[in-house]
Amino acid sequence: VDLHCGQIQGFFRPRVPVDNLEGFTVGVTYFGDMDDLVNPTVVSPDAGGVYRAKQFRDLLARKHNVDSGLAMIIKQRAKANEIDRMDLVGSVKDCDCILVDDMVDTAGTLCKAVDVLLEQGARRVFAFCSHGVLSGPAASRIEKSNLTELVVL
């Protein structure tokens, strides 16, 4: 489910057929069934996930008639595995945000993204990921964060 990158699918051919089953459809159903979302905005926590976030937003509209915005965060790295700053592209003021990512490992990016969204006026921040690796400091980071809810496939 939800191959981290589409090229992995070709690695197994021709002997082992592999199909990429996109797990975000489960998240779409979960958030589409929520009655209390206010001005929902789907947010990609990095530039590489914008296509995934757009698919999530479009399916949310088609399947659940939820009109939502789209935003993204651009990470500036000082060096590998160290985020220098994060810049928001789009507006989240007075919105309930849904961060959509394929994987949460140490939750560093996730928790910093939550802070950025709240600083920019978001009401609440939810997150959805297909792969909840949750290694090392992830649990304590999430517990200490202002994240409303993390939904893992």
Side-chain angles (χ1 to χ4, degrees):
V1 174
D2 248 343
L3 299 175
H4 183 63
C5 102
Q7 293 85 341
I8 293 172
Q9 190 171 354
F11 175 80
F12 295 97
R13 299 203 187 265
R15 295 180 186 232
V16 180
V18 174
D19 288 325
N20 186 17
L21 304 175
E22 294 172 335
F24 69 81
T25 56
V26 174
V28 165
T29 300
Y30 181 83
F31 289 104
D33 289 343
M34 290 179 78
D35 295 338
D36 64 339
L37 285 179
V38 175
N39 300 323
T41 298
V42 178
V43 181
S44 172
D46 54 42
V50 172
Y51 180 71
R52 180 183 308 105
K54 186 178 180 317
Q55 285 182 305
F56 191 98
R57 184 198 63 177
D58 292 349
L59 190 57
L60 201 55
R62 276 196 320 270
K63 227 176 141 181
H64 297 277
N65 202 29
V66 174
D67 184 27
S68 59
L70 183 66
M72 68 175 280
I73 292 175
I74 299 174
K75 288 188 285 192
Q76 307 291 331
R77 293 196 181 272
K79 58 183 178 182
N81 295 327
E82 188 178 309
I83 299 170
D84 182 37
R85 60 183 268 188
M86 297 177 110
D87 298 312
L88 178 67
V89 177
S91 176
V92 297
K93 186 166 175 42
D94 300 324
C95 296
D96 285 337
C97 294
I98 306 167
L99 276 162
V100 177
D101 208 350
D102 62 342
M103 178 171 56
V104 174
D105 186 0
T106 62
T109 296
L110 173 66
C111 293
K112 285 186 181 189
V114 170
D115 292 341
V116 167
L117 294 171
L118 292 172
E119 287 167 9
Q120 295 296 317
R123 291 180 70 244
R124 299 182 294 176
V125 181
F126 300 87
F128 172 79
C129 73
S130 298
H131 305 288
V133 178
L134 305 176
S135 67
S140 64
R141 284 178 176 168
I142 292 168
E143 189 176 309
K144 292 174 188 172
S145 77
N146 290 309
L147 182 65
T148 302
E149 182 177 12
L150 172 61
V151 179
V152 179
L153 176 64

